[in-house]
Amino acid sequence: MYYINDKEFGEVLISVRSNMRNITMRWKGGSLYMNVPPGTSKEHLLKVLDEMRPKLRQGQSKDGLAYHIGQEIECYGFKIVIAEQARSHDKILFGKNDNVVTVNVPQGIDLSSHNNMEWMSRALKMVAHNEATRLLPLAQRVTARLAVAPHHFEIGRGLRKLGHCTPKRVIQLSANLVFLPEELIEYVICHELAHLTHMNHSPQFHALVNLYVNGQEKALEQKLKAFHWSVIR
C-alpha cells in the first residue's frame, strides 16, 4: 500500500491486490482509492487517472461531500455556518460570534464545482486550525484519567495522520480532529498515548489501546474508518 500525489485529487491511496486483473477506483470520505494488479507501473496509474478524471470528478461529488449556502457543520465545541457575501467576488470572508464561525463565500458561487469544493475545503481546514486549541483540554482530561505523562501536546494539520507520538514523548494532534465526534477524538488521543508505552503497533500496543477505550478499540476504529468528513482528505 502506498500513495501517489495527484495535482487535482491530492494523495491517492494505492492498494496492490494479487487477485486483480484490472484497476478499480472508488471515493471514500473524500479520498480516492485505487486497487491495482501487481506490477502496475506508476506511469500507467497516472495515465489511467488522467483518462478517468472527468468521471472521478463526478464521483467525488457523489461521495456525499457537498457544500451549500446555509449549511451547518457541527464541530467539537463550535459550529461552522456557510453563508454568502457580496463584498468580494474572489475571496472567502470569515466571521465569528461566540461558538459560531461563519464562512462567507462570494454571492452566486457554484459550490458543486470541483475547484470551488477544493476552495471551500481549504477554508474549513483553516477554521479547524484556528479553533484546534479546543482539543487540548480534552487531551489533558484523557491524560489525567489514564495517569500517563506525555511531555506536551502540539497541534498539527494532518488529515491522513490524525495523531503522532514522537520519540521525545510529544503528542501531536491534527487540527482536523475538530470535525470528529468526541468519542473518536478520544480514541485518537488514547491511540497516541498508548505509544508512550509501546512505540509500535504490536498486539501489546493494541491491548493497551483497548484497555484505554474500555474494550471498544475495534468498534471505534471501524467508526473512524467509516466517518464522513466535511473536508476533502
Side-chain angles (χ1 to χ4, degrees), residues 39-91:
T40 306
S41 68
K42 182 178 178 181
E43 290 73 19
H44 184 59
L45 285 178
L46 295 175
K47 179 182 177 182
V48 172
L49 198 56
D50 276 335
E51 291 172 350
M52 296 296 294
R53 199 169 294 276
K55 289 186 177 180
L56 288 170
R57 289 186 187 123
Q58 295 176 3
Q60 185 177 36
S61 61
K62 293 177 182 178
D63 186 48
L65 181 63
Y67 302 119
H68 62 268
I69 304 302
Q71 183 175 356
E72 297 184 355
I73 301 172
E74 295 292 340
C75 301
Y76 180 69
F78 69 103
K79 178 168 62 177
I80 299 174
V81 177
I82 300 175
E84 281 186 316
Q85 52 84 14
R87 290 170 53 193
S88 174
H89 69 278
D90 60 356
K91 292 181 180 179

Side-chain angles (χ1 to χ4, degrees), residues 29-30 64-65 67 159 162 176-180 224 227-233:
L65 181 63
Y67 302 119
L159 253 175
L162 296 173
N176 296 293
L177 287 172
V178 299
F179 294 112
L180 293 175
L224 183 58
F227 181 75
H228 176 66
W229 290 86
S230 299
V231 292
I232 297 173
R233 299 183 70 197

Side-chain angles (χ1 to χ4, degrees), residues 137-156:
L138 174 60
Q140 295 295 347
R141 289 197 298 273
V142 174
T143 298
R145 174 172 62 84
L146 300 179
V148 293
H151 188 274
H152 65 273
F153 288 94
E154 293 180 349
I155 299 296

Side-chain angles (χ1 to χ4, degrees), residues 107-127:
Q107 194 171 40
I109 190 174
D110 177 12
L111 287 174
S112 66
S113 78
H114 177 77
N115 287 341
N116 287 336
M117 286 181 68
E118 287 273 4
W119 193 23
M120 190 72 230
S121 179
R122 289 195 298 271
L124 295 180
K125 291 174 187 176
M126 187 183 303
V127 172

Side-chain angles (χ1 to χ4, degrees), residues 129-140:
H129 192 263
N130 290 340
E131 299 293 325
T133 53
R134 296 172 183 269
L135 297 168
L136 299 179
L138 174 60
Q140 295 295 347

